[in-house]
Amino acid sequence: FPYFYYFQKHQIETKMVRLVSFALPLALSVSSAMAWTSAPSISFRSAPSTTALPMAIDYNDPIVAEEFNNVQPLSYEEVEEELMMSGVRGSPDMNEMDLKLMLVEVRLVMNGKLKNGGAEKKKPAKYSSKFEEAMWEKPQFKILYDALDEKGDHNGKNVAAEYLNDPEGAAVRYGKEYKRLIRYINDALNAKKEVTSATVTFKGFPANMGEMGCKMTLEALGEITEFDCKESDDFPILEGTVTFDDIETAKKAIEQYDGMDMGMGTALELESV
């Protein structure tokens, strides 16, 4: 994909962009290069026994995401007090965001939610945002986002996350300065996953087709060995998995139906497992 060339050949813009809409992954700015407004330096009161906590967790993780959302509304003073009560201290030059990130890690450690230096990742039953869904369901977008992370491009990550959650608003705010990045994001989101098995997930057939109607539609392409189908909890559509007798039939199903408008206002989604 062209965005890999972009990362290798072009230095990502360093012009700072302060995001008005805040999303969880946007919290990754622990560097002073970000345009967060720093809280005034304070002198930390001494605690009986304090330990500096290393910051080494994945803020893309849904478990970490939930904890950060709980910490975000707290004031600077509330965060400082909870850290001291936990026996952890920050340094006087840490701003409000730095302390909140530290508190997230403290809480995860205290609650036993960290494993092997990071939170144990588990695919959520229901996604909390379009960004979270893309990180789990769109492998090329995750590669792109991880590449931004490795480059230390916090602004680029912020733009990517906000674009997923509010594409129209983000396009207006960042479409000029981040036009190239937004194009690469769309490329990653629309990238077709390579068909490597005879099993395909599907989503979007009208619920009034019923399970048998859906199976018969797909079976017209070739023999089916396994079929699982249910109605979505959110929309009157069917979703599930189908295993064909061979990979070629799976490819044919994706080519024929993926992206097709079934008259429900959304396009069919078929993807290789």
Side-chain angles (χ1 to χ4, degrees):
F1 290 93
Y3 46 77
F4 291 121
Y5 178 82
Y6 167 62
F7 291 133
Q8 293 170 359
K9 300 297 183 182
H10 299 275
Q11 182 178 3
I12 298 175
E13 291 185 26
T14 56
K15 183 174 181 180
M16 299 306 155
V17 177
R18 182 171 182 175
L19 301 180
V20 177
S21 300
F22 199 93
L24 157 74
L26 319 190
L28 291 170
S29 100
V30 294
S31 167
S32 60
M34 280 298 293
W36 302 111
T37 300
S38 298
S41 295
I42 63 170
S43 297
F44 283 77
R45 297 184 292 273
S46 60
S49 175
T50 59
T51 305
L53 189 72
M55 302 296 291
I57 56 178
D58 180 8
Y59 281 83
N60 299 325
D61 189 281
I63 297 174
V64 183
E66 181 180 0
E67 195 59 62
F68 180 80
N69 287 333
N70 295 333
V71 168
Q72 180 59 16
L74 299 179
S75 68
Y76 190 82
E77 291 73 21
E78 289 172 328
V79 173
E80 179 201 356
E81 182 177 358
E82 184 172 338
L83 283 171
M84 289 192 301
M85 292 295 292
S86 301
V88 176
R89 73 171 182 274
S91 60
D93 61 346
M94 293 180 73
N95 62 30
E96 182 175 350
M97 185 55 61
D98 295 335
L99 289 180
K100 285 183 176 181
L101 296 177
M102 179 174 280
L103 180 57
V104 169
E105 185 165 3
V106 169
R107 286 187 174 186
L108 291 171
V109 170
M110 295 296 186
N111 294 328
K113 294 182 179 180
L114 288 184
K115 184 177 181 181
N116 297 326
E120 185 176 1
K121 294 188 177 182
K122 184 179 180 181
K123 186 176 181 178
K126 189 172 183 179
Y127 298 118
S128 61
S129 67
K130 292 293 185 181
F131 171 81
E132 183 181 50
E133 181 178 0
M135 289 296 285
W136 282 99
E137 302 293 347
K138 299 292 184 179
Q140 294 300 330
F141 174 76
K142 188 176 187 308
I143 291 172
L144 170 61
Y145 189 84
D146 288 346
L148 289 169
D149 188 34
E150 291 175 8
K151 283 285 186 180
D153 184 1
H154 300 297
N155 286 336
K157 289 163 58 181
N158 291 352
V159 171
E162 188 167 345
Y163 184 76
L164 262 293
N165 293 326
D166 180 17
E168 292 184 3
V172 171
R173 284 188 287 274
Y174 314 118
K176 184 177 180 180
E177 296 179 16
Y178 288 90
K179 182 178 180 180
R180 180 181 294 168
L181 175 59
I182 289 175
R183 184 171 73 250
Y184 296 156
I185 291 171
N186 286 323
D187 288 344
L189 293 175
N190 295 325
K192 298 294 184 182
K193 186 176 180 181
E194 183 182 359
V195 181
T196 56
S197 77
T199 301
V200 174
T201 61
F202 61 85
K203 180 180 180 181
F205 288 103
N208 57 18
M209 288 181 64
E211 181 177 343
M212 288 305 299
C214 182
K215 183 177 181 180
M216 288 174 63
T217 298
L218 294 172
E219 205 165 29
L221 299 172
E223 185 178 348
I224 290 176
T225 59
E226 290 184 32
F227 183 79
D228 180 61
C229 178
K230 67 174 184 176
E231 185 171 346
S232 169
D233 295 330
D234 302 315
F235 303 101
I237 58 174
L238 299 175
E239 57 187 19
T241 59
V242 56
T243 300
F244 294 98
D245 191 48
D246 55 68
I247 293 180
E248 291 305 313
T249 306
K251 289 181 179 179
K252 189 190 302 183
I254 293 173
E255 290 172 1
Q256 180 164 332
Y257 287 110
D258 186 49
M260 179 181 290
D261 185 358
M262 297 294 287
M264 301 298 293
T266 56
L268 281 175
E269 298 177 22
L270 277 78
E271 187 175 72
S272 174
V273 174

